[in-house]
Amino acid sequence: MTTASAPPTARPLPRRSSRAKRDWRGWAFVGPFMVVFLAVLVAPVVYALILTLFRQQLVGGTAFVGLANYGQLFQDPKFWESLLRVTLFLLIQVPIMLALSLVAALALDSARLHGAGFFRIAIFLPYAVPGVVAALIWGFIYGNQFGLTGSINDFLGAEVILPFSGQWILASIGNIVTWEFMGYNMLIFYAALKVVPTELYEAAEIDGAGQFRIISGIKIPALRGSIVIATIFSIIGSFQLFNEPNLLKNLAPNVISSYFTPNMYAYNLSFAGQQFNYSATVAIVMGIITATIAYIVQLRGSRQEVR
């Protein structure tokens, strides 16, 4: 007679402590980046935010004022004038620059342009020129008394072209910025066009589509993400406008003021006026405005891409 033996009971597994489950090896990879990130991005922003809460006074030294610097900034006509000028610059210069970049990229990608390699390098080359050098080059061209503009006016016998006048100074700066960054944006669009499958072009040609139909139906939709990226970069660059007007200020001191752009205003407040706290307030507000507009553009671009 055989008896059934009881099934062996499962031996409970030993509990692993939560400390043993943690694997810190990942931090060894991201640790150096996090240190640099905290040191060069987070720490300066936090320090600037702290500066905005204080004010240096003639009596009593540095005092905590809370949000008083922000209240003063929102009532500062110089800040609003500079912000309005940069906004106008953005609304006019950025579409023109991106349109020219798009046309150049489409022309290079069409395979019907002779010397495409030369034009690609020639259009991109101004981006390799430092901004300071570019501003100086165009400053000598714009000069009414000594530059190419002065020579043309002398030839015509009248002051026909006045790039440093109040009516044209913003367009003159926009021309410099367009010259500098058109090639950069063209390269973004051109790279995006190169990843479009050639089968789409072949199918469109079989269906009888012309070049304009291929551009509007295939190439432009394929460039939507690149256009959003280039627009965001251009918006950020417009709100950071500083080098060109600051260098041309010596040639047109009566037209370009110390608060021509918000960045120039913050710079002069800090290094000429010794108002570090108020300058930090201008920088923080401009950072918030720039980030908000860039986020809205990215959000709208992403939604259209999903559709």
Side-chain angles (χ1 to χ4, degrees), residues 2-231:
T2 60
T3 59
S5 61
T9 57
R11 182 177 297 176
L13 295 175
R15 288 185 178 181
R16 298 179 60 184
S17 63
S18 58
R19 181 175 298 178
K21 293 179 180 177
R22 294 177 182 175
D23 190 350
W24 298 95
R25 286 176 294 182
W27 285 100
F29 293 97
V30 301
F33 167 76
M34 292 301 297
V35 171
V36 175
F37 179 76
L38 292 174
V40 303
L41 184 64
V42 177
V45 172
V46 172
Y47 180 64
L49 283 171
I50 294 173
L51 282 179
T52 63
L53 304 178
F54 293 86
R55 181 180 296 171
Q56 289 186 344
Q57 301 174 342
L58 292 177
V59 180
T62 303
F64 180 77
V65 294
L67 301 178
N69 286 326
Y70 293 95
Q72 180 184 349
L73 181 65
F74 292 141
Q75 298 176 355
D76 189 347
K78 294 181 179 179
F79 171 73
W80 290 112
E81 182 181 337
S82 62
L83 181 60
L84 180 63
R85 185 178 293 112
V86 168
T87 304
L88 179 65
F89 178 84
L90 185 153
L91 293 176
I92 297 176
Q93 187 269 335
V94 170
I96 293 175
M97 178 180 64
L98 294 182
L100 292 174
S101 303
L102 182 60
V103 170
L106 291 172
L108 292 174
D109 186 66
S110 66
R112 300 187 177 188
L113 183 67
H114 296 287
F118 168 77
F119 285 109
R120 187 169 60 244
I121 294 297
I123 296 173
F124 181 74
L125 193 59
Y127 181 70
V129 178
V132 175
V133 177
L136 292 175
I137 291 173
W138 282 98
F140 283 113
I141 294 175
Y142 288 160
N144 296 334
Q145 305 297 328
F146 50 84
L148 178 62
T149 300
S151 301
I152 294 175
N153 287 336
D154 291 340
F155 176 77
L156 296 176
E159 292 187 344
V160 179
I161 306 173
L162 297 172
F164 286 147
S165 63
Q167 294 81 8
W168 290 102
I169 188 62
L170 207 58
S172 302
I173 295 174
N175 178 54
I176 299 174
V177 176
T178 302
W179 180 78
E180 287 181 280
F181 293 97
M182 177 185 161
Y184 173 76
N185 293 295
M186 179 272 296
L187 205 61
I188 294 177
F189 298 150
Y190 184 69
L193 287 172
K194 284 301 176 186
V195 300
V196 177
T198 56
E199 291 81 3
L200 294 177
Y201 299 144
E202 295 171 358
E205 289 177 355
I206 292 173
D207 291 340
Q211 287 299 317
F212 287 103
R213 180 57 182 156
I214 292 175
I215 290 174
S216 62
I218 298 177
K219 293 186 177 182
I220 297 297
L223 286 173
R224 188 166 295 160
S226 303
I227 292 174
V228 172
I229 294 296
T231 303

